[in-house]
Structures are given as C-alpha cells and as structure tokens.
C-alpha cells in the first residue's frame, strides 16, 4: 500500500503549478531541497522549524 507516501506528497503536488514560477532554475532547485528537508523531518518526527533553525545557525560557526 502506497497511501502514506501519497498522503505526504499531496501538499507538494497541490502546489505544483505555483512552484513552476520559482523565477529561475536555481530557485526551483532550492525549493526542492527545502521541501525535501522539511518532509524528511516530518517523516522522522523531527520538528522542521527547530531543525532548520539550529542547522542554519550552526553553518556560520562551522566555516572558518
């Protein structure tokens, strides 16, 4: 049964036409990366905003 996966991607599929207007190929790629991270967080019971906030705050400290 593929229902759980289909239910997870439904919101992304509903926005598909809006996502066509990302403005540039790189914008579309960036959106795909962010959407993938958010959905992966949800599948692993991780709060997406907290995870992304901590990760983005850690990047400047990690790069010399």
């Amino acid at each position: 049964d593929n229902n759980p996966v289909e239910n997870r991607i439904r919101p992304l599929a509903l926005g598909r036409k809006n996502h066509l207007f990302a403005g540039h190929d790189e914008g579309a790629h960036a959106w795909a990366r962010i959407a993938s991270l958010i959905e992966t967080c949800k599948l692993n019971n991780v709060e997406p905003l907290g995870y992304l906030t901590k990760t983005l705050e850690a990047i400047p400290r990690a790069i010399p």
Side-chain angles (χ1 to χ4, degrees):
D1 187 13
N2 206 18
N3 255 356
V5 172
E6 289 179 10
N7 288 338
R8 291 285 185 173
I9 65 171
R10 184 170 288 118
L12 294 175
L14 291 175
R16 186 176 299 136
K17 287 189 179 183
N18 292 334
H19 304 155
L20 288 173
F21 301 103
H24 193 272
D25 286 348
E26 283 304 311
H29 289 282
W31 167 249
R33 289 182 195 110
I34 296 292
S36 178
L37 281 172
I38 291 170
E39 290 305 314
T40 300
C41 285
K42 289 179 183 178
L43 285 172
N44 290 292
N45 296 320
V46 174
E47 198 270 314
L49 179 60
Y51 172 78
L52 291 173
T53 300
K54 287 182 181 182
T55 301
L56 293 173
E57 287 174 349
I59 291 172
R61 292 189 301 266
I63 299 173

